[in-house]
Amino acid sequence: MMKRIICLILMMGMLGVAFASSVYAEENVAGSDELKTVRVGYLIYEGYQEGAGDAPKSGYGYEYLQQIAYYAGWKYEYVNGSFSELLEMLKNGQIDIMGNISYTDERAQYIDYGKEEQGREYYYLFVREDRTDISATDLTTLNGAKVGINKGSVQVDLFENWCVENNIACDIILYESSAQRSKDMESGKLDAVVSTDVTANNMARYHWNALVKIGSSPYYFAVSKSRPDILEELNDANIKVLQSDWYYNEKVYLKYYGKTSVSAVGLSAEESEWLNTDPTIKVGYIDGCLPYADMDEETGEVVGMLPAFMEHMYTWYGVHMEAVEFSGYEKMKEALEQKEIDLMFPAYGSYWTAEENNLMVTEPLTTSYLLMFHMGNYNGGTSSVIAMTDASPMQKFYVKEHYPESQVLLCSDMIACIKAVASGKATCTLMSSDTYYSYRNELDNIGEFGISNTGHEVYVSLACRKDDVRMYSFMKKGVSSMSDHEINEALMSGGYMNSEMSVRQFLRQHAMLVFMAAVMIIVLILGFLIYYIISSRKALRLARSNNELSEKAYMDLATGLPNKNRCEEIISSHLRITIPTAMFMLDLNDLKVVNDTLGHDMGDLMIMNFARILRQTVPSKYFVGRFGGDEFIVIAEGLSSGEEAEQLVEKIREIVLKFNGASGEFKLSYACGYAFSDEFPFCGMMELLHEADQRMYQDKARIKGSKQLQ
């Protein structure tokens, strides 16, 4: 009897232990799915960390924090404040982590530093543009100057050491707030400030010039000493970030600061003094070179990218620029050599070509691809006879650099080059993808030619004389200060303008037909009917030919985008997604209605314009392809969050609305759906595409429903 009781007690004890273990395991499993909340000191600073409170966030530091959170399994509670306030909170354990903290022995007593550098800061001494009494060539002019520096920053020790090395005696004033320091600088209470490599927007806002660089130091993520668990997870996550890309620090820094830092756009004292003389810079351009530059015959004004750049230079630097028209490249280059003009635009941005022509070229304002127009198939090699024109400022340099063994057939203009190819006089001709879009309406009816991407990039730059170093330095900074948004807007406006230009060119080339139409309306109607029948037959033959080529090639000839074969190849090669990725599916609405009512030519134009908007709006690092007749996909690998995907959707919507406002022929309408890989762990591209497609159809149904309610 006693044995039975003991056995019963043992069995009940074992069951109790098993039950407790199962409950503990369930709690652990449930707990493992919860992200750890980490309190982060979030210092608001343009380009580094933006978005106070619940506002959308972005910036170099914010993006780095997200990468750490992905690998560490964190979610953040953002705490705003000044640098000194947040640093004190970190010491007291009121926040857990903060970035952009330079190392000092004193700080290391109160906070722990991550093992890996977050980046490196460079410190400059800034003065207002009007303080010409303080000179970089005579540092003694700084003696007695009042210099503002943020309290508690490593810049204090660096500047004090710099003053000792240069025998300078300054009055250092410490500030809790960068905003107050900037106000005192503006009011004249301060003669100078020591700060990091500030953004171009701040340069323009405050009218500061960087006088000298006083030093640099690495900076780190720092952790409260009360959170050793956070420090361990930070170090582990940071190693994983760098293992995925050892140049991550540099890439993310250049993404936010590369074009807009003071080192890229800040003027030297000599340049500021020169600008004070109010010079007028003359820039030569070639007429009919859209989307870069052209003279509008109706208004007498220059249109395209050039006037947008000139307006930008006046806004940023207050410099006046005058556009000077030329009929050909050689005449423009001769004027530059004779110092009749100061700059040429556009210029081929190859350093080798510039050296051969005794020129200096800036970094490219824009980059496009070199397209080859040919009859039949293109085998990727050189061509025996290439049609080219002196009216193109860059075409002959493409040929000389990439196809030096080919013969050249000189033509009067680009249209004549295309006709030479169509007639067989030339094997092919070359032009940039930007130029192709500007000529697209005029090229439709010339002949059944093929278009191939040669794989060569076209760098569109400004060029000046080799002895004009000041002009080169100034223009280089001007190019750096122009944002990608401004450049894309100028390219798009220049390309769309050409629809009006093509009408005027048609009238000039068919003046007799227009005159006869006024007298014989019946003949005109018959002529249009015959023209429509011939064009339809050509379109059918071209469509059959393109279908055959598309089965073998990877480029969609109608849009210049990767075709469905290429899209499917990329999707099938990613059975599992390893980095945050967003898949977008976009479908044009009412394409069939446009084809049935306005004709297939207008439908093709609708597809082409939508493709161009996608390629110029979506960052070049992301994939854009034509997935079907009216379907397009965007694959954005490396997005930091779903919010960034939503921002891209909104950006596309804004550009389409802008296009619809400028277009009088038709309006673009589309449905869009996207899926973010973080929503679907361990998924592949195919699953992501399926989800994006479902959401696109939901959007299409929503659009259709809203139309029915109207």
Side-chain angles (χ1 to χ4, degrees):
M1 183 69 179
M2 183 61 68
K3 289 183 179 180
R4 291 181 179 178
I5 293 174
I6 293 173
C7 288
L8 183 60
I9 292 173
L10 289 173
M11 289 178 64
M12 292 178 65
M14 292 175 64
L15 288 172
V17 170
F19 177 76
S21 299
S22 65
V23 171
Y24 177 79
E26 289 177 3
E27 288 178 350
N28 272 353
V29 169
S32 65
D33 291 335
E34 296 180 2
L35 299 176
K36 177 184 289 187
T37 299
V38 176
R39 299 167 301 175
V40 57
Y42 197 74
L43 176 67
I44 301 299
Y45 191 81
E46 183 177 5
Y48 177 70
Q49 288 177 163
E50 300 182 23
D54 296 329
K57 294 172 172 53
S58 63
Y60 162 57
Y62 173 75
E63 188 169 322
Y64 211 132
L65 282 169
Q66 294 307 306
Q67 285 289 314
I68 296 296
Y70 291 161
Y71 287 104
W74 295 348
K75 62 179 180 180
Y76 292 120
E77 176 185 323
Y78 297 98
V79 181
N80 298 127
S82 68
F83 179 84
S84 57
E85 290 171 343
L86 293 173
L87 184 59
E88 192 65 25
M89 294 174 72
L90 187 65
K91 291 178 182 179
N92 298 332
Q94 295 170 284
I95 58 175
D96 303 313
I97 188 173
M98 180 177 170
N100 197 21
I101 298 183
S102 302
Y103 179 88
T104 66
D105 292 335
E106 180 185 356
R107 290 175 181 172
Q109 298 178 31
Y110 306 102
I111 57 177
D112 289 325
Y113 287 87
K115 291 181 179 179
E116 303 296 332
E117 294 182 7
Q118 183 189 359
R120 179 167 287 272
E121 277 187 328
Y122 296 90
Y123 308 111
Y124 298 84
L125 185 68
F126 292 92
V127 297
R128 293 201 317 269
E129 289 178 355
D130 59 355
R131 292 301 300 270
T132 56
D133 56 313
I134 301 177
S135 171
T137 58
D138 183 7
L139 295 179
T140 60
T141 55
L142 284 167
N143 281 320
K146 295 181 179 180
V147 180
I149 308 178
N150 280 350
K151 181 181 179 181
S153 70
V154 72
Q155 302 161 29
V156 178
D157 292 336
L158 281 173
F159 184 64
E160 288 177 345
N161 293 334
W162 182 86
C163 287
V164 172
E165 292 172 1
N166 292 277
N167 297 317
I168 303 298
C170 293
D171 183 10
I172 298 176
I173 301 175
L174 301 180
Y175 282 84
E176 295 281 353
S177 166
S178 295
Q180 185 59 49
R181 185 189 60 177
S182 299
K183 289 180 180 178
D184 287 353
M185 179 77 159
E186 187 68 22
S187 67
K189 292 181 180 179
L190 290 176
D191 300 301
V193 297
V194 174
S195 185
T196 56
D197 194 0
V198 301
T199 64
N201 287 335
N202 276 333
M203 292 281 291
R205 182 188 308 150
Y206 300 133
H207 299 284
W208 292 355
N209 280 338
L211 194 70
V212 290
K213 183 167 70 175
I214 66 165
S216 66
S217 68
Y219 54 90
Y220 304 83
F221 286 107
V223 178
S224 169
K225 281 191 175 291
S226 64
R227 297 303 302 269
D229 56 321
I230 296 291
L231 180 63
E232 182 180 354
E233 292 168 5
L234 166 68
N235 288 331
D236 181 64
N238 216 343
I239 284 293
K240 291 177 180 177
V241 170
L242 296 177
Q243 284 177 337
S244 66
D245 185 353
W246 289 109
Y247 296 99
Y248 175 76
N249 290 13
E250 292 81 2
K251 288 180 179 178
V252 72
Y253 179 86
L254 290 174
K255 175 180 177 181
Y256 289 96
Y257 288 119
K259 287 191 68 176
T260 60
S261 66
V262 62
S263 55
V265 304
L267 299 180
S268 66
E270 179 188 358
E271 289 166 340
S272 297
E273 185 177 352
W274 171 60
L275 287 181
N276 287 336
T277 65
D278 196 24
T280 296
I281 299 174
K282 294 185 177 181
V283 53
Y285 73 95
I286 298 178
D287 187 30
C289 192
L290 282 173
Y292 309 125
D294 187 27
M295 175 64 72
D296 189 316
E297 295 180 1
E298 293 181 358
T299 64
E301 296 180 352
V302 182
V303 295
M305 178 178 281
L306 177 58
F309 177 73
M310 293 166 60
E311 181 179 353
H312 168 82
M313 293 297 289
Y314 181 77
T315 301
W316 273 81
Y317 299 107
V319 65
H320 296 275
M321 300 184 72
E322 176 185 337
V324 181
E325 179 184 354
F326 291 91
S327 60
Y329 175 82
E330 292 301 331
K331 292 182 179 179
M332 181 169 64
K333 185 172 182 294
E334 181 181 353
L336 182 69
E337 293 170 348
Q338 298 298 322
K339 300 185 178 182
E340 297 171 5
I341 58 175
D342 304 296
L343 296 166
M344 296 193 306
F345 179 80
Y348 186 34
S350 161
Y351 284 106
W352 179 81
T353 299
E355 181 182 13
E356 290 288 301
N357 288 269
N358 201 32
L359 297 171
M360 293 188 290
V361 289
T362 65
E363 292 299 311
L365 260 175
T366 183
T367 303
S368 60
Y369 290 94
L370 182 61
L371 301 180
M372 176 175 284
F373 294 74
H374 55 87
M375 303 300 291
N377 295 325
Y378 170 59
N379 60 12
T382 59
S383 193
S384 56
V385 181
I386 299 179
M388 55 172 279
T389 171
D390 184 54
S392 170
M394 296 177 286
Q395 193 180 46
K396 73 174 183 178
F397 297 122
Y398 305 156
V399 176
K400 185 176 181 180
E401 184 168 323
H402 300 298
Y403 305 100
E405 299 179 358
S406 299
Q407 297 180 25
V408 171
L409 175 65
L410 286 175
C411 300
S412 58
D413 53 32
M414 189 58 68
I415 298 299
C417 291
I418 295 294
K419 289 181 177 179
V421 176
S423 65
K425 294 179 181 178
T427 313
C428 69
T429 190
L430 303 165
M431 70 172 69
S432 71
S433 55
D434 289 333
T435 304
Y436 163 67
Y437 283 119
S438 296
Y439 280 98
R440 180 67 171 84
N441 292 339
E442 295 175 317
L443 299 178
D444 280 341
N445 301 317
I446 290 181
E448 298 179 5
F449 51 83
I451 308 172
S452 298
N453 190 335
T454 66
H456 299 302
E457 288 187 309
V458 179
Y459 304 109
V460 182
S461 305
L462 291 136
C464 64
R465 296 183 300 276
K466 257 196 171 179
D467 61 353
D468 199 351
V469 178
R470 181 173 59 189
M471 182 64 65
Y472 169 74
S473 176
F474 181 51
M475 284 300 123
K476 186 176 180 181
K477 293 170 182 177
V479 170
S480 294
S481 65
M482 194 170 186
S483 68
D484 293 337
H485 172 74
E486 290 177 286
I487 292 171
N488 290 333
E489 190 175 61
L491 280 173
M492 292 178 66
S493 63
Y496 292 144
M497 282 178 189
N498 200 53
S499 61
E500 298 179 2
M501 291 293 293
S502 62
V503 173
R504 294 198 302 273
Q505 291 169 359
F506 177 84
L507 293 175
R508 289 198 301 267
Q509 295 171 8
H510 302 83
M512 183 59 70
L513 180 62
V514 175
F515 173 76
M516 292 176 62
V519 181
M520 303 176 62
I521 187 67
I522 297 177
V523 174
L524 176 62
I525 294 173
L526 291 175
F528 271 115
L529 288 174
I530 295 171
Y531 173 81
Y532 176 77
I533 293 172
I534 294 174
S535 298
S536 298
R537 290 177 179 175
K538 284 186 178 181
L540 289 173
R541 290 198 300 271
L542 183 59
R544 285 195 296 268
S545 175
N546 284 343
N547 288 336
E548 293 174 359
L549 290 174
S550 296
E551 293 176 358
K552 302 177 182 179
Y554 279 144
M555 189 178 78
D556 177 60
L557 298 181
T559 64
L561 296 176
N563 63 9
K564 186 173 184 178
N565 289 342
R566 181 57 179 157
C567 295
E568 291 178 342
E569 182 179 89
I570 290 177
I571 292 170
S572 62
S573 66
H574 288 69
L575 298 178
R576 181 175 176 181
I577 296 173
T578 58
I579 61 174
T581 300
M583 174 75 72
F584 301 78
M585 173 67 77
L586 303 101
D587 186 281
L588 282 170
N589 295 325
D590 303 323
L591 180 61
K592 186 177 185 304
V593 175
V594 172
N595 285 334
D596 293 343
T597 59
L598 301 179
H600 286 272
D601 287 344
M602 191 62 71
D604 291 344
L605 188 60
M606 180 178 179
I607 291 172
M608 180 204 70
N609 280 323
F610 188 66
R612 181 178 180 188
I613 288 174
L614 288 180
R615 182 64 279 173
Q616 292 186 346
T617 304
V618 176
S620 59
K621 61 183 178 181
Y622 299 148
F623 177 84
V624 179
R626 185 180 180 188
F627 197 67
D630 54 0
E631 293 180 331
F632 299 82
I633 66 171
V634 175
I635 303 175
E637 294 182 288
L639 282 181
S640 61
S641 65
E643 292 180 358
E644 192 173 347
E646 193 65 36
Q647 291 171 5
L648 182 56
V649 171
E650 182 63 18
K651 188 175 180 182
I652 294 172
R653 187 188 73 82
E654 290 176 358
I655 297 299
V656 169
L657 287 175
K658 185 173 183 179
F659 169 80
N660 286 342
S663 173
E665 299 177 8
F666 59 83
K667 308 295 182 185
L668 289 177
S669 174
Y670 68 99
C672 176
Y674 77 90
F676 191 49
S677 59
D678 282 8
E679 303 175 68
F680 311 96
F682 311 111
C683 72
M685 285 283 191
M686 188 60 71
E687 292 86 352
L688 212 59
L689 175 67
H690 176 73
E691 186 62 30
D693 190 60
Q694 293 297 315
R695 295 179 179 182
M696 181 274 290
Y697 276 107
Q698 293 173 8
D699 188 41
K700 187 176 282 288
R702 179 189 61 77
I703 295 172
K704 185 176 181 180
S706 64
K707 287 183 177 179
Q708 292 176 350
L709 292 175
Q710 293 177 353

